[in-house]
């Protein structure tokens, strides 16, 4: 075998080995045993149990990752969402029912179709005036809601 041909073969083998090694490294990165915190892609209401969240209050976690969480919260008439604070930004959509919300020093009655923005670390809570469902979105996710 001529020297020039031999060098070309060695060079081509080197390129092939680099490509295989690089592919293996990428595969190992993708197969990393450290899993990202996230929910499944599809969450069906009928397959998801309602969790207790206070007297007359239940919730379903409907999707999350480290950055965001969507939670459906069902209230019986008269149930109280106890006043509390947390460092998460929260937005709430009133899917059904009627609620008296207190956010900071503001109190307002909200009904189906209304929304509430709750900045981090502000005291907030509600009283359910007519049975209903709230859709809460938190950023970042509420790790304390996960079992």
């Amino acid at each position: 075998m001529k020297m020039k041909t031999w060098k070309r073969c060695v060079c081509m083998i080197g390129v092939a080995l680099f490509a295989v090694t690089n592919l293996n490294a990428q595969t190992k990165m993708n197969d990393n045993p450290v899993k990202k915190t996230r929910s499944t892609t599809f969450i069906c209401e009928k397959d998801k149990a309602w969790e207790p969240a206070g007297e007359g209050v239940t919730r379903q976690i409907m999707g999350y990752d480290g950055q965001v969480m969507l939670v459906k919260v069902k209230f019986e008439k008269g149930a109280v969402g106890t006043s509390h604070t947390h460092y998460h930004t929260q937005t709430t959509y009133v899917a059904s029912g009627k609620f008296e919300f207190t956010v900071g020093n503001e109190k307002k009655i909200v009904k189906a179709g209304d929304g509430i923005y709750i900045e981090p670390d502000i005291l907030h809570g509600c009283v359910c005036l007519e049975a209903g469902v709230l859709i809460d979105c938190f950023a970042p996710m509420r790790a304390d809601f996960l079992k």
Side-chain angles (χ1 to χ4, degrees), residues 22-53:
N22 193 34
L23 181 61
N24 285 340
Q26 286 178 346
T27 301
K28 284 181 183 170
M29 280 187 346
N30 293 338
D31 292 340
N32 188 336
V34 177
K35 296 189 182 198
K36 185 176 180 181
T37 299
R38 65 177 294 269
S39 65
T40 58
T41 301
F42 295 98
I43 298 98
C44 298
E45 179 182 42
K46 68 179 180 60
D47 300 330
K48 185 82 173 152
W50 287 90
E51 305 170 7

Side-chain angles (χ1 to χ4, degrees), residues 10-126:
V10 168
C11 182
M12 291 173 80
I13 291 169
V15 169
L17 285 173
F18 174 78
V20 169
T21 303
N22 193 34
L23 181 61
N24 285 340
Q26 286 178 346
T27 301
K28 284 181 183 170
M29 280 187 346
N30 293 338
D31 292 340
N32 188 336
V34 177
K35 296 189 182 198
K36 185 176 180 181
T37 299
R38 65 177 294 269
S39 65
T40 58
T41 301
F42 295 98
I43 298 98
C44 298
E45 179 182 42
K46 68 179 180 60
D47 300 330
K48 185 82 173 152
W50 287 90
E51 305 170 7
E55 192 171 327
V57 183
T58 55
R59 71 176 167 232
Q60 286 181 315
I61 298 171
M62 300 305 291
Y64 65 91
D65 68 12
Q67 302 304 308
V68 68
M69 177 179 270
L70 185 70
V71 180
K72 187 166 31 170
V73 189
K74 188 177 355 178
F75 285 78
E76 295 173 6
K77 182 178 180 175
V80 175
T82 305
S83 291
H84 63 285
T85 64
H86 47 73
Y87 69 89
H88 312 81
T89 297
Q90 177 179 342
T91 58
T92 296
Y93 173 74
V94 184
S96 62
K98 189 188 237 181
F99 298 82
E100 181 181 74
F101 259 85
T102 303
V103 180
N105 296 323
E106 235 181 307
K107 189 179 281 193
K108 185 159 182 130
I109 293 176
V110 294
K111 59 185 176 14
D114 294 341
I116 302 109
Y117 165 75
I118 303 165
E119 65 184 88
D121 301 315
I122 193 162
L123 186 64
H124 61 282
C126 69

